[in-house]
Amino acid sequence: MQRRAFLSGALGAALASLYARASFAQSDSHMMHMAPGSAGMSDAHAMPGTMMPAPAPLAAADALSTGAPLPALRTLANESREPGHFRATLVAQPVSRPLLPGQSDTLFWQYDAGAGTPDLGAPVIGPLIDVREGDTVEIRFVNRLAQPSTIHWHGLPVPPDQDGNPADPVAPGAERLYRFTLPPGSAGTYWYHPHPHMLTAEQVFRGLAGPIVVRAANDPLAAWPERHLFVTDLKLAADGTIAPNSMMDWMNGREGQFVLVNGALRPDIDVTRDERWRVWNACSARYLLLAFDDGRPFVQVGSDGGLLAAPRGNLTSLLLAPGERAELIVAAGALPSRARLVAAQYDRRKMAMMGGGLPAEPTRALADVRFAPGVGTSGVATPGVVTSGAVASDAAGASPALPAQLRKIAPLSPFRARQTVVFSEAMDMKAMHQPGASALSMPRGMQFMVNGATYDPARVTLTSRRGEVEQWSIENRTDMDHPFHLHGTQFQVLARERGGKRVAESYLAWRDTVNVEPDETVHIATIQHDAGERMFHCHILEHEDLGMMGTLRVV
C-alpha cells in the first residue's frame, strides 16, 4: 500500500489532524485525546473511550554523560584447549545497571559468559566471539529470560537447524547447544542476536546483541591495528526504564534518542596510526550514514561477508542500513587534528500519521576522534585497539601500503533460477486506533508483507535448490526504505533498478543485507549450500515482527 493511499476518508482525516503534532515532532510524550463528534469524524466512526494513556516522558538528550574513552568490547573466552575448536557458554538474562543519576537502575537484557555472572564494568554489548576459518564452534545458550529466545548467527553460513530461526525457540529456563564449522572463505564481520518471532525487536532493544569476527589465516590486512565500533541506540524514559515501543516505533522502526558506540554515548577515540575499523550497525531501525564532520576521506575494505575484491578509496560517507557491517581504513594523517565521527542526515522516508512523511533525523555525533600521528607508537597499547597479527609499523607509526587487491571474488553465474521478493505494506487505520491499541505489545492494524502476505510459520514463501546459483529481485513497493536480509549465505549485488533504468553495482562484494529504496528493485545473485528452511526479511526489527518475513525452503 503506497503512502499516497495511506489515509483515506473521514476517519483518516480526523486521525491525521489528531496526530499531526506528535508525528511531526516524533515524540512519545503527548497525551492523545479523541472524542466522538470531532471535526471530520462521523458518528459511525466515533470510537468509545476518549483517552489513550500518555507514554512516560523520555530522558533528556543530555541525561547521559559523554567524553569517556571508547570502551573495549569483552571477548568471549574459549573453554576448549583443542586446536581448531571454540567452545563457550552464552547466558541471556536480565541485568540492572546504574545509568541515570537519581533514578532506579535500568534493567537491560544482556548476554554474559560462563555461569552468567554479569560484568557491570563492561559495556551492555554481548561479548565478542573471535574465531577463525575452519574452527568448529560450540556455543551453549542458556535462556534466563521470561520469554522464549534464540541466537541467530547473522550472516554466518551455518546449517539451518543451527541458525536460531524463529521455528526453533529456546523456552524460558531451557538451554540448547549450537554447533557449526566455519568454512574456508567465511572470514568477515558478523553479529549475533535473538530471532523469536514477534519478540525479536524487544529483545534486541533491551540489549541482546553482540559482535563476531571470523579471521583468515592469510589476512592481507593483519598488519593494521584493529578497532571495533558496535553501534546501537537506546530509547530511555526519564525514570531510567527502557521505554516500550510506541505506535510510531512500530510503524517506522524504533530509533532511540541515544546513539551508542560500544555502549557509550559519544566516546573519545585516539588514532595514532592508520587503523582498520570494523563497524556494526546493530540498531533496530536507525540508518548510519557514516562520515567525518570535516569531510576527511577513508577507505572501505570490507562489507558484511569480509574483504572486498579491491579497496574503495577516497570515500567521504558510507551508508550502513540496520544489520549491515563494514571494514574501513582510517588514516591518522600527517598532522594532529580532530574530527567528529557522525551519522549524517539520511532521509529513509519515515511515515507520518498525517500522511506524507516525517523529516529526516538530524546529524548525530557518534564519537570525537583525536588524530595524533606518531604519538604512543613505541609499543604502548592504544585503548580500544586490538591487533590481529604482527603490526608492521615503523617508529613513526606508518602502516604498510594498502594492497591493490584484497581477495579474489568470482562473480556468481550462470543463473539457474530466478526469485522475486516484493515488500509491501497496508494499514487498517480503524483497527490501529481502537481504544488501547497503542498500549498493546503488538499493535493491531499494521501489516508489513512479503509477496502479499505477512509471515506464517506454516507457509513456505519460496523454494530453492541446493547448489544452484539464483538471481533474486527484491522490489520495494512501499514509500520507505527497507533493508533486505537473507539467512544462511552471502550474496552479490548485481544492479539497482528504478523507473525502468538499471544501474550495475560499481563494486564486487559479499553481503547478507542490502538497503532497498522506495520504488526500487535490487537484483542480487546468491547460492544456498545446505538443505532446510531459511528466513529472509526486512531488518527493521519492528517490521520483521509485524510480518515482513518469509521462509525459503532449500531442497
Side-chain angles (χ1 to χ4, degrees):
M1 179 179 183
Q2 297 294 86
R3 193 170 308 171
R4 54 183 168 267
F6 182 78
L7 294 179
S8 61
L11 176 62
L15 292 171
S17 174
L18 175 68
Y19 280 87
R21 180 184 173 211
S23 297
F24 187 83
Q26 302 180 61
S27 169
D28 298 314
S29 60
H30 299 299
M31 184 70 75
M32 293 174 285
H33 183 81
M34 181 179 297
S38 297
M41 180 181 294
S42 68
D43 290 341
H45 289 135
M47 294 189 290
T50 61
M51 190 70 69
M52 291 183 182
L58 298 182
D62 60 355
L64 299 182
S65 60
T66 62
L70 176 72
L73 297 176
R74 300 174 285 163
T75 299
L76 188 63
N78 186 3
E79 300 167 2
S80 173
R81 297 181 180 273
E82 180 183 347
H85 198 108
F86 184 91
R87 182 188 304 117
T89 298
L90 280 175
V91 180
Q93 63 184 350
V95 175
S96 293
R97 288 169 168 262
L99 204 62
L100 291 185
Q103 301 294 340
S104 299
D105 287 358
T106 300
L107 183 64
F108 290 92
W109 298 348
Q110 73 177 54
Y111 290 115
D112 286 300
T117 303
D119 181 359
L120 298 182
V124 187
I125 303 294
L128 168 68
I129 300 175
D130 198 326
V131 288
R132 305 186 72 84
E133 289 179 343
D135 282 356
T136 295
V137 179
E138 290 185 347
I139 304 289
R140 183 173 69 97
F141 171 52
V142 180
N143 182 11
R144 293 183 182 164
L145 304 175
Q147 300 178 350
S149 191
T150 75
I151 300 182
H152 167 54
W153 314 100
H154 183 119
L156 286 179
V158 305
D161 62 351
Q162 303 300 311
D163 200 27
N165 287 331
D168 192 17
V170 179
E175 62 180 70
R176 71 150 292 171
L177 181 69
Y178 291 102
R179 189 178 193 276
F180 48 86
T181 299
L182 299 167
S186 61
T189 304
Y190 306 95
W191 62 303
Y192 59 95
H193 61 80
H195 213 303
H197 185 43
M198 297 191 291
L199 299 173
T200 298
E202 180 182 15
Q203 292 188 11
V204 172
F205 76 61
R206 291 191 181 279
L208 290 175
I212 304 172
V213 172
V214 180
R215 302 189 184 278
N218 59 346
D219 183 354
L221 302 180
W224 270 260
E226 184 176 300
R227 192 181 295 275
H228 300 149
L229 288 81
F230 196 83
V231 183
T232 59
D233 57 4
L234 177 64
K235 186 177 181 182
L236 199 63
D239 63 1
T241 60
I242 296 177
N245 272 346
S246 68
M247 187 72 81
M248 296 300 291
D249 289 332
W250 284 110
M251 183 181 295
N252 288 313
R254 179 188 181 97
E255 291 181 334
Q257 76 268 44
F258 302 110
V259 186
L260 310 178
V261 184
N262 294 1
L265 182 65
R266 197 170 172 176
D268 287 343
I269 297 175
D270 287 330
V271 176
T272 60
R273 56 191 174 193
D274 297 357
E275 294 181 354
R276 177 186 191 174
W277 287 13
R278 295 183 189 259
V279 186
W280 289 259
N281 184 352
C283 301
S284 295
R286 183 181 298 278
Y287 282 64
L288 301 175
L289 183 57
L290 297 175
F292 289 103
D293 67 338
D294 63 354
R296 71 180 61 208
F298 53 87
V299 179
Q300 183 187 7
V301 293
S303 55
D304 299 335
L307 295 178
L308 308 180
R312 300 179 66 215
N314 294 316
L315 300 181
T316 56
S317 65
L318 180 67
L319 181 67
L320 291 186
E324 281 192 288
R325 292 84 66 207
E327 296 182 48
L328 313 175
I329 297 294
V330 176
L335 298 172
S337 60
R338 292 179 180 269
R340 289 187 305 160
L341 176 68
V342 301
Q345 187 176 77
Y346 176 75
D347 186 4
R348 65 182 183 91
R349 305 161 185 89
K350 291 185 289 187
M351 293 184 278
M353 297 296 293
M354 59 190 293
L358 296 173
E361 277 262 310
T363 293
R364 295 290 191 107
L366 300 179
D368 292 299
V369 187
R370 183 172 68 97
F371 296 89
V375 176
T377 58
S378 58
V380 179
T382 303
V385 169
V386 298
T387 53
S388 56
V391 178
S393 59
D394 59 26
S399 296
L402 192 63
Q405 297 295 319
L406 299 171
R407 71 189 294 198
K408 292 182 179 179
I409 301 179
L412 287 176
S413 65
F415 304 128
R416 301 295 185 186
R418 296 179 183 271
Q419 304 279 14
T420 299
V421 175
V422 177
F423 285 157
S424 61
E425 65 194 24
M427 302 290 161
D428 180 344
M429 301 302 292
K430 185 174 181 179
M432 286 168 62
H433 296 288
Q434 290 295 320
S438 64
L440 299 174
S441 59
M442 187 66 63
R444 299 188 185 103
M446 295 185 193
Q447 288 187 305
F448 291 93
M449 296 172 285
V450 169
N451 292 358
T454 55
Y455 173 69
D456 180 348
R459 181 178 60 246
V460 172
T461 312
L462 298 175
T463 301
S464 295
R465 297 189 66 84
R466 183 176 57 181
E468 286 193 348
V469 178
E470 297 182 335
Q471 179 174 326
W472 287 41
S473 298
I474 302 100
E475 181 183 354
N476 184 357
R477 294 183 185 172
T478 79
D479 287 316
M480 68 187 306
D481 290 32
H482 293 284
F484 169 84
H485 172 54
L486 175 62
H487 286 209
T489 190
Q490 298 283 315
F491 55 74
Q492 297 172 0
V493 176
L494 303 174
R496 299 170 186 269
E497 184 177 352
R498 182 185 282 111
K501 183 179 180 181
R502 180 175 172 132
V503 177
E505 191 76 345
S506 61
Y507 64 99
L508 191 57
W510 289 112
R511 305 166 74 169
D512 55 61
T513 307
V514 63
N515 190 47
V516 189
E517 296 184 8
D519 298 318
E520 180 181 51
T521 299
V522 174
H523 302 281
I524 66 172
T526 191
I527 182 172
Q528 291 279 356
H529 296 285
D530 294 299
E533 293 190 351
R534 300 288 196 183
M535 315 312 298
F536 59 94
H537 55 85
C538 171
H539 217 278
I540 292 174
L541 298 183
E542 284 73 23
H543 295 173
E544 173 192 321
D545 276 348
L546 288 170
M548 196 172 256
M549 179 163 63
T551 299
L552 171 69
R553 176 171 290 169
V554 182
V555 297

